[in-house]
Amino acid sequence: MNGTRVFESLNAEWALVCAESGRAGTVLGWLQEGGVLVGECAAGGLEDVLAELGRRDRAQGREHSDRWLRVLLERAAGEGAGALLAARVVVQAMVPGAVRLTQRLRAGRDFDEVGQVVAACLYQVVRRYPLGRKGGVAANLLLETLHLASRELKAEAAELNAVPWHPGPDSAVVAGHLMAADDPAAAAWQTVLGQQAVAVGLVRGGEVADGALVELLVWAVAAGRLDAERARAIVSESRAGAQASAKQAGVSAVAWRQRRSRTVRQLRAVADQWVQAA
């Protein structure tokens, strides 16, 4: 399905988990110890076990789903391969709910970008689920995932907005020179800075880039705080249409978001050093 690569990848990974011998027997053993599926499930594999649990959930309701989910969540809270397997079974059972959460949280964002955050948060919630909590387990898992994913997305948005990424009318590099207000001193300084930016390869003649960003990067390169190649890459990322070009080159929305988050963290550290050196 177009735009749902995160969940397609989860399903593909699940198929590999199911293909490993002995997994179904291990999970069935846990369930039987917990009083669920007492020997009467003739499942041929782990995928069949999960399908049978779903059928019984629909027939018996929340009481049944609470019981088997708690059995696996107790295992998932431990360590080792068994804990990872138990967590993975629960995550797979919650994939339809995770898709709904992604649709709810999308709000104009890339579906796969949000889906990756939701899937990661779901796994964290499964591994840390408080077994003493009352009420429907599945509903609580989704609610906690919703809260955690919302916080993660807000934090990422705040981080990405912390550094200017677009040229402004009062501070831009045009044809290799910084142009700003009608202040002669400022204009002279910006001309020098523009020449320095061209000298280290941050901008090309005729380009428009964020003046504040270029000023920071010129200082960072001159002070040895940032490699010139990395500085050029950061300017390239900030150019208009950079994301569209990256997408055409095969860079996913998730990879682009991670790249920008990494850049923002690096620029924040450089900006702190700049302020201290001033």
Side-chain angles (χ1 to χ4, degrees), residues 194-250:
Q195 292 170 346
Q196 293 174 341
V198 172
V200 296
L202 293 183
V203 296
R204 296 186 293 266
E207 266 191 325
V208 176
D210 188 314
L213 177 61
V214 169
E215 186 173 4
L216 173 62
L217 292 175
V218 166
W219 174 86
V221 172
R225 307 298 174 89
L226 196 65
D227 180 81
E229 183 176 350
R230 176 61 181 140
R232 286 192 289 271
I234 291 173
V235 171
S236 179
E237 289 175 11
S238 72
R239 291 188 179 109
Q243 184 174 5
S245 298
K247 184 176 182 180
Q248 291 177 354

Side-chain angles (χ1 to χ4, degrees), residues 72 75-76 82-92 123 126-127:
L72 294 185
R75 297 276 180 176
L84 296 178
L85 174 59
R88 188 63 185 83
V89 175
V90 176
V91 166
Q92 189 63 30
Y123 186 78
V126 167
R127 293 277 279 161

